[in-house]
Amino acid sequence: MFIPSFVERVGSYLVTPLVKSNDSGQFLASVSIRRGAYDRIFRFASSFPTSALAMQHALVEGRGMVLANELN
C-alpha cells in the first residue's frame, strides 16, 4: 500500500510523494500530480534504502515535471 506523506502545491498542481516498501526491505517511490478532480501517478524504477530518500526523490521529480510542463 502506498502511503501519502506530504503534499506540496506547485502552481495549480498538488504534488504528493508516495512510498511503498518491497519484499527486500527497499523502498519504492511514486508521485501523484493532481489538478482539479484528476491526478496522474508516476512510478519510478529505482529503489531506495530509506523511505525518506524515496519520498525526497518522488517530490523532486514531481516538482520538476510540473515546472518543466512535462504533463501534456
Side-chain angles (χ1 to χ4, degrees):
M1 175 166 84
F2 284 99
I3 302 169
S5 51
F6 182 79
V7 177
E8 180 177 307
R9 181 171 293 279
V10 180
S12 60
Y13 293 91
L14 292 177
V15 177
T16 306
L18 305 166
V19 176
K20 178 181 179 180
S21 63
N22 64 15
D23 294 335
S24 64
Q26 295 286 310
F27 293 89
L28 306 173
S30 297
V31 66
S32 164
I33 300 176
R34 181 180 180 109
R35 182 175 180 188
Y38 301 98
D39 67 327
R40 296 177 71 181
I41 305 291
F42 297 90
R43 291 183 178 90
F44 305 107
S46 302
S47 60
F48 301 88
T50 67
S51 62
L53 287 174
M55 184 179 80
Q56 180 182 13
H57 177 76
L59 187 58
V60 167
E61 291 294 321
R63 186 184 307 128
M65 283 187 256
V66 171
L67 293 175
N69 198 21
E70 295 178 347
L71 301 174
N72 295 329

